[in-house]
Amino acid sequence: ELKVEQNPLFLSMQEGKNYTIYCNYSTTSDRLYWYRQDPGKSLESLFVLLSNGAVKQEGRLMASLDTKARLSTLHITAAVHDLSATYFCAVDMDSNYQLIWGAGTKLIIKP
Amino acid sequence: EAGVVQSPRYKIIEKKQPVAFWCNPISGHNTLYWYLQNLGQGPELLIRYENEEAVDDSQLPKDRFSAERLKGVDSTLKIQPAELGDSAVYLCASSSTSSWTDTQYFGPGTRLTVL
């Protein structure tokens, strides 16, 4: 069964702290996407990771991909309130353009 | 560059009524997706189009849902008749197969409430 699991599903943290969201998937894939969704809004693309060892960074967010471990991480550095959102990872299984989505990690950053 | 446009943004109907959603993808994007998103969950694919052709509709409940993409641009998703369990956000996304990343770009969604 094709599965994408995110953890934690909910995370409340203080501003200034660091934390990591994990995305595990059950079969081989050569593409992994991270999206952000604000309440009542649509999904915004953050990162596309295309190969083993890929690392992408934008501001306080850094995403990495380990295809051998079937694991991607989204690391938040010195969190700020504006990063509060739900973060989804999605995996393109077998390059057939069908994305399998994780359940999302709801991140709340308290001032 | 304009993003994916969807309308309406909100729709409230009574069960057994029909409803239709419209999507205009990003200009030049040949692939169009319709997703359903329930509260607290990730999107679930309903149908994917490559130009005018529906290439993956395996998750579309065809007894009540239908979709079309005339001329390979705009698309319409219809539900007839709607059921209480259809209440959700319906998202449209588009991508370009000529893009190396195949990133899907999402519209704002239509929030459907069935009473």
Side-chain angles (χ1 to χ4, degrees):
Chain A
E1 183 187 353
L2 303 177
K3 271 183 164 179
V4 177
E5 294 184 341
Q6 286 183 238
N7 72 83
L9 297 182
F10 179 80
L11 176 58
S12 178
M13 56 193 289
Q14 296 289 331
E15 277 191 326
K17 300 291 187 183
N18 303 332
Y19 210 82
T20 301
I21 299 170
Y22 298 88
C23 174
N24 289 91
Y25 52 97
S26 61
T27 189
T28 56
S29 172
D30 57 2
R31 290 169 204 244
L32 189 140
Y33 302 81
W34 283 98
Y35 283 83
R36 167 182 173 148
Q37 187 173 39
D38 292 293
K41 301 290 179 64
S42 192
L43 292 138
E44 174 190 354
S45 175
L46 293 175
F47 301 109
V48 181
L49 302 168
L50 299 176
S51 61
N52 188 42
V55 177
K56 295 277 185 74
Q57 183 163 5
E58 179 74 31
R60 301 174 187 274
L61 300 178
M62 183 173 71
S64 65
L65 178 63
D66 181 343
T67 58
K68 294 178 182 177
R70 298 178 186 170
L71 171 69
S72 180
T73 60
L74 180 66
H75 187 73
I76 303 145
T77 302
V80 293
H81 179 66
D82 287 352
L83 291 178
S84 296
T86 299
Y87 293 86
F88 290 93
C89 65
V91 179
D92 183 350
M93 303 289 190
D94 301 323
S95 300
N96 65 358
Y97 307 111
Q98 181 178 354
L99 296 184
I100 309 298
W101 293 78
T105 296
K106 184 172 183 177
L107 177 63
I108 296 176
I109 300 170
K110 300 175 183 177
Chain B
E1 179 184 275
V4 177
V5 179
Q6 289 187 249
S7 69
R9 293 293 311 279
Y10 304 91
K11 189 75 176 178
I12 301 173
I13 61 172
E14 294 188 345
K15 63 181 180 182
K16 301 185 182 179
Q17 294 298 306
V19 65
F21 314 124
W22 175 80
C23 173
N24 177 244
I26 292 172
S27 177
H29 280 192
N30 57 321
T31 307
L32 184 146
Y33 311 77
W34 283 103
Y35 287 92
L36 175 156
Q37 186 178 26
N38 287 305
L39 189 64
Q41 298 181 26
E44 301 170 31
L45 181 68
L46 291 172
I47 190 168
R48 175 169 68 92
Y49 282 93
E50 295 284 346
N51 300 305
E52 303 89 353
E53 183 183 359
V55 295
D56 184 356
D57 63 356
S58 57
Q59 303 303 312
L60 190 72
K62 298 181 184 65
D63 57 335
R64 298 184 299 108
F65 286 64
S66 64
E68 61 181 12
R69 190 183 184 197
L70 300 176
K71 300 182 181 178
V73 181
D74 295 358
S75 178
T76 303
L77 177 69
K78 297 178 182 177
I79 308 174
Q80 182 170 11
E83 296 179 352
L84 294 176
D86 295 333
S87 295
V89 176
Y90 291 83
L91 295 167
C92 179
S94 69
S95 68
S96 171
T97 51
S98 63
S99 162
W100 173 245
T101 66
D102 290 315
T103 298
Q104 295 181 26
Y105 296 89
F106 285 80
T110 297
R111 183 176 297 275
L112 174 66
T113 302
V114 182
L115 303 176

Short mmCIF file of all heavy atoms in Angstrom, two decimals, chain A residues 37 41 43 88, chain B residues 35-44 87-91:
data_model
loop_
_atom_site.label_atom_id
_atom_site.label_comp_id
_atom_site.label_asym_id
_atom_site.label_seq_id
_atom_site.Cartn_x
_atom_site.Cartn_y
_atom_site.Cartn_z
N GLN A 37 -0.12 25.37 3.81
CA GLN A 37 -1.51 25.80 3.70
C GLN A 37 -1.89 26.61 4.93
O GLN A 37 -1.82 26.13 6.06
CB GLN A 37 -2.44 24.60 3.55
CG GLN A 37 -3.89 24.99 3.25
CD GLN A 37 -4.76 23.79 2.93
OE1 GLN A 37 -4.63 22.73 3.53
NE2 GLN A 37 -5.67 23.95 1.97
N LYS A 41 -7.10 28.84 3.26
CA LYS A 41 -6.43 29.20 2.01
C LYS A 41 -6.01 27.95 1.25
O LYS A 41 -6.16 26.83 1.73
CB LYS A 41 -5.19 30.05 2.32
CG LYS A 41 -5.49 31.33 3.07
CD LYS A 41 -6.20 32.33 2.21
CE LYS A 41 -6.54 33.62 2.94
NZ LYS A 41 -5.33 34.34 3.36
N LEU A 43 -3.15 25.68 -1.19
CA LEU A 43 -1.81 25.12 -0.98
C LEU A 43 -0.77 25.89 -1.76
O LEU A 43 -0.94 26.14 -2.96
CB LEU A 43 -1.81 23.65 -1.41
CG LEU A 43 -2.64 22.76 -0.51
CD1 LEU A 43 -3.44 21.76 -1.33
CD2 LEU A 43 -1.76 22.03 0.47
N PHE A 88 2.31 20.18 4.37
CA PHE A 88 2.07 18.87 3.77
C PHE A 88 3.29 18.44 2.95
O PHE A 88 3.90 19.25 2.26
CB PHE A 88 0.89 18.93 2.80
CG PHE A 88 -0.45 19.11 3.44
CD1 PHE A 88 -0.99 20.38 3.61
CD2 PHE A 88 -1.20 18.02 3.84
CE1 PHE A 88 -2.23 20.56 4.20
CE2 PHE A 88 -2.45 18.18 4.42
CZ PHE A 88 -2.96 19.45 4.60
N TYR B 35 -9.07 17.99 -7.02
CA TYR B 35 -8.88 17.31 -5.75
C TYR B 35 -10.06 17.62 -4.83
O TYR B 35 -10.72 18.67 -4.94
CB TYR B 35 -7.63 17.80 -5.04
CG TYR B 35 -6.30 17.36 -5.60
CD1 TYR B 35 -5.63 18.14 -6.54
CD2 TYR B 35 -5.70 16.19 -5.16
CE1 TYR B 35 -4.39 17.77 -7.03
CE2 TYR B 35 -4.45 15.80 -5.64
CZ TYR B 35 -3.81 16.60 -6.58
OH TYR B 35 -2.57 16.22 -7.05
N LEU B 36 -10.23 16.76 -3.88
CA LEU B 36 -11.16 16.97 -2.79
C LEU B 36 -10.32 17.01 -1.50
O LEU B 36 -9.42 16.18 -1.32
CB LEU B 36 -12.15 15.81 -2.75
CG LEU B 36 -13.18 15.69 -1.64
CD1 LEU B 36 -14.35 14.85 -2.15
CD2 LEU B 36 -12.62 15.04 -0.39
N GLN B 37 -10.61 17.99 -0.63
CA GLN B 37 -9.89 18.06 0.63
C GLN B 37 -10.88 18.16 1.78
O GLN B 37 -11.66 19.12 1.85
CB GLN B 37 -8.91 19.23 0.67
CG GLN B 37 -8.04 19.22 1.93
CD GLN B 37 -7.03 20.35 1.98
OE1 GLN B 37 -7.22 21.40 1.39
NE2 GLN B 37 -5.92 20.13 2.70
N ASN B 38 -10.85 17.18 2.65
CA ASN B 38 -11.64 17.24 3.87
C ASN B 38 -10.83 17.92 4.96
O ASN B 38 -9.59 17.94 4.94
CB ASN B 38 -12.04 15.83 4.31
CG ASN B 38 -13.11 15.24 3.42
OD1 ASN B 38 -14.17 15.83 3.23
ND2 ASN B 38 -12.85 14.07 2.84
N LEU B 39 -11.54 18.44 5.93
CA LEU B 39 -10.91 19.19 7.01
C LEU B 39 -9.87 18.35 7.73
O LEU B 39 -10.13 17.20 8.10
CB LEU B 39 -11.98 19.66 8.00
CG LEU B 39 -11.53 20.64 9.07
CD1 LEU B 39 -11.09 21.95 8.44
CD2 LEU B 39 -12.66 20.87 10.07
N GLY B 40 -8.67 18.87 7.87
CA GLY B 40 -7.63 18.18 8.61
C GLY B 40 -6.95 17.07 7.83
O GLY B 40 -6.22 16.27 8.42
N GLN B 41 -7.19 17.02 6.53
CA GLN B 41 -6.58 15.97 5.72
C GLN B 41 -5.89 16.55 4.50
O GLN B 41 -6.09 17.70 4.13
CB GLN B 41 -7.65 14.97 5.27
CG GLN B 41 -8.32 14.25 6.42
CD GLN B 41 -9.35 13.25 5.94
OE1 GLN B 41 -9.26 12.73 4.83
NE2 GLN B 41 -10.32 12.95 6.78
N GLY B 42 -5.08 15.72 3.87
CA GLY B 42 -4.46 16.12 2.62
C GLY B 42 -5.42 15.99 1.45
O GLY B 42 -6.47 15.35 1.57
N PRO B 43 -5.09 16.59 0.33
CA PRO B 43 -5.96 16.48 -0.85
C PRO B 43 -6.04 15.05 -1.37
O PRO B 43 -5.08 14.28 -1.25
CB PRO B 43 -5.26 17.39 -1.88
CG PRO B 43 -4.35 18.26 -1.09
CD PRO B 43 -3.93 17.46 0.09
N GLU B 44 -7.16 14.72 -1.96
CA GLU B 44 -7.37 13.42 -2.60
C GLU B 44 -7.71 13.67 -4.07
O GLU B 44 -8.64 14.40 -4.38
CB GLU B 44 -8.53 12.68 -1.93
CG GLU B 44 -8.33 12.42 -0.46
CD GLU B 44 -9.61 11.91 0.20
OE1 GLU B 44 -10.40 11.23 -0.48
OE2 GLU B 44 -9.83 12.20 1.39
N SER B 87 -19.72 17.39 1.33
CA SER B 87 -19.24 18.65 1.90
C SER B 87 -17.72 18.58 2.09
O SER B 87 -17.21 17.68 2.77
CB SER B 87 -19.90 18.91 3.26
OG SER B 87 -21.28 19.11 3.09
N ALA B 88 -17.02 19.50 1.47
CA ALA B 88 -15.55 19.48 1.46
C ALA B 88 -15.09 20.71 0.69
O ALA B 88 -15.90 21.50 0.20
CB ALA B 88 -15.02 18.22 0.78
N VAL B 89 -13.78 20.85 0.58
CA VAL B 89 -13.21 21.86 -0.30
C VAL B 89 -12.73 21.17 -1.57
O VAL B 89 -12.03 20.16 -1.52
CB VAL B 89 -12.02 22.60 0.37
CG1 VAL B 89 -11.38 23.57 -0.61
CG2 VAL B 89 -12.50 23.33 1.62
N TYR B 90 -13.14 21.72 -2.70
CA TYR B 90 -12.75 21.16 -4.00
C TYR B 90 -11.67 22.06 -4.59
O TYR B 90 -11.89 23.25 -4.83
CB TYR B 90 -13.98 21.03 -4.90
CG TYR B 90 -14.90 19.95 -4.39
CD1 TYR B 90 -15.82 20.22 -3.38
CD2 TYR B 90 -14.82 18.66 -4.88
CE1 TYR B 90 -16.63 19.23 -2.85
CE2 TYR B 90 -15.64 17.65 -4.38
CZ TYR B 90 -16.53 17.95 -3.36
OH TYR B 90 -17.33 16.95 -2.85
N LEU B 91 -10.52 21.47 -4.78
CA LEU B 91 -9.36 22.20 -5.25
C LEU B 91 -9.05 21.84 -6.70
O LEU B 91 -9.11 20.68 -7.09
CB LEU B 91 -8.13 21.85 -4.40
CG LEU B 91 -8.18 22.25 -2.93
CD1 LEU B 91 -7.06 21.56 -2.15
CD2 LEU B 91 -8.06 23.76 -2.79
#
